[in-house]
Amino acid sequence: GQQVMQIPQYQHVQEGEDFTTYCNSSTTLSNIQWYKQRPGGHPVFLIQLVKSGEVKKQKRLTFQFGEAKKNSSLHITATQTTDVGTYFCAGRYNFNKFYFGSGTKLNVKP
Amino acid sequence: ETGVTQTPRHLVMGMTNKKSLKCEQHLGHNAMYWYKQSAKKPLELMFVYNFKEQTENNSVPSRFSPECPNSSHLFLHLHTLQPEDSALYLCASSGGSEPSVDTQYFGPGTRLTVL
């Protein structure tokens, strides 16, 4: 069935190290979104990728959408303690139906 | 903060109780969602409403009953729940133009505990 796989489940890094989370779908996505959920908070939208091979940057965050529109990644350069939280991808297959990945929980040690 | 409010924020109920969760969005969106978030399944879509019409029911047990009287309000009626239904229930809305029509805005959630 349609689902989005996300790895890793957890990532512990030292402050200043890089971090990457990956999402994969078995079928082509219309678009993919990324969300961040801080501990005790709710998911907050980060970005949407629509085009094949698209790359977008937000300060230290780099988002990529694969050429086949089946995979995506979020890379954080030089992590900071403020980056702590769970990062979710959400793949869209049809109108108003998104499948969220299981999330990657990032812990950053100061 | 996000324009989506949920009440109550915390709820403890027995298995024989009937309660309702309320969600309200002040963003002028046309789509609203219920999600269940637990340790086992981080973000599980339950129901989707589009212009007050239910367009998605993700095989949710009948002890969860949604209601969408208008595009701004969404309810989740609960009855005879099980302890495994304890979770964070998140409401979301979408349909604005910025940053995209697909962007989902989440409420703070209701932390539900079933005894």
Side-chain angles (χ1 to χ4, degrees):
Chain A
Q2 296 168 334
Q3 59 179 356
V4 176
M5 307 300 293
Q6 186 172 358
I7 56 169
Q9 190 174 1
Y10 301 97
Q11 187 80 59
H12 301 270
V13 300
Q14 199 70 38
E15 189 171 22
E17 293 181 339
D18 293 357
F19 159 78
T20 306
T21 174
Y22 302 89
C23 282
N24 288 285
S25 168
S26 57
T27 55
T28 303
L29 298 166
S30 298
N31 62 48
I32 193 161
Q33 298 181 352
W34 286 92
Y35 292 80
K36 176 183 178 182
Q37 184 173 17
R38 294 182 185 276
H42 54 273
V44 175
F45 175 83
L46 293 177
I47 208 158
Q48 176 172 286
L49 304 171
V50 180
K51 299 176 183 177
S52 169
E54 189 170 13
V55 178
K56 287 188 177 180
K57 292 190 176 184
Q58 289 179 349
K59 298 183 180 178
R60 294 177 293 103
L61 277 61
T62 302
F63 304 84
Q64 292 188 320
F65 202 10
E67 294 289 342
K69 299 182 71 172
K70 290 183 178 181
N71 56 74
S72 181
S73 65
L74 157 59
H75 180 82
I76 302 178
T77 304
T79 54
Q80 300 175 358
T81 54
T82 53
D83 296 324
V84 166
T86 301
Y87 293 84
F88 292 95
C89 62
R92 176 184 171 183
Y93 294 95
N94 55 34
F95 183 69
N96 269 353
K97 186 162 185 175
F98 285 87
Y99 285 90
F100 277 82
S102 54
T104 296
K105 191 172 183 178
L106 173 64
N107 188 34
V108 180
K109 300 176 187 177
Chain B
E1 178 190 9
T2 65
V4 181
T5 58
Q6 288 186 245
T7 55
R9 295 293 305 276
H10 300 271
L11 178 62
V12 179
M13 60 187 289
M15 289 190 285
T16 58
N17 292 158
K18 289 184 179 181
K19 296 286 184 183
S20 295
L21 310 184
K22 179 183 177 182
C23 175
E24 184 174 0
Q25 59 99 357
H26 314 274
L27 302 168
H29 291 166
N30 52 270
M32 296 187 76
Y33 312 76
W34 278 117
Y35 287 89
K36 177 183 177 182
Q37 188 172 44
S38 62
K40 291 184 178 180
K41 294 186 179 181
L43 266 174
E44 190 178 0
L45 180 65
M46 300 174 72
F47 301 103
V48 181
Y49 277 82
N50 235 316
F51 293 103
K52 303 187 301 178
E53 298 296 322
Q54 184 175 315
T55 57
E56 189 73 29
N57 177 338
N58 234 17
S59 302
V60 181
S62 59
R63 58 185 183 270
F64 295 92
S65 175
E67 179 190 0
C68 188
N70 54 62
S71 295
S72 299
H73 294 85
L74 186 64
F75 295 89
L76 188 62
H77 303 300
L78 316 171
H79 62 96
T80 59
L81 294 191
Q82 304 297 313
E84 58 264 29
D85 296 322
S86 299
L88 180 68
Y89 288 84
L90 290 161
C91 172
S93 71
S94 69
S97 58
E98 295 293 335
S100 81
V101 68
D102 292 337
T103 303
Q104 295 187 53
Y105 291 83
F106 285 84
T110 296
R111 175 67 63 185
L112 174 67
T113 303
V114 182
L115 301 177

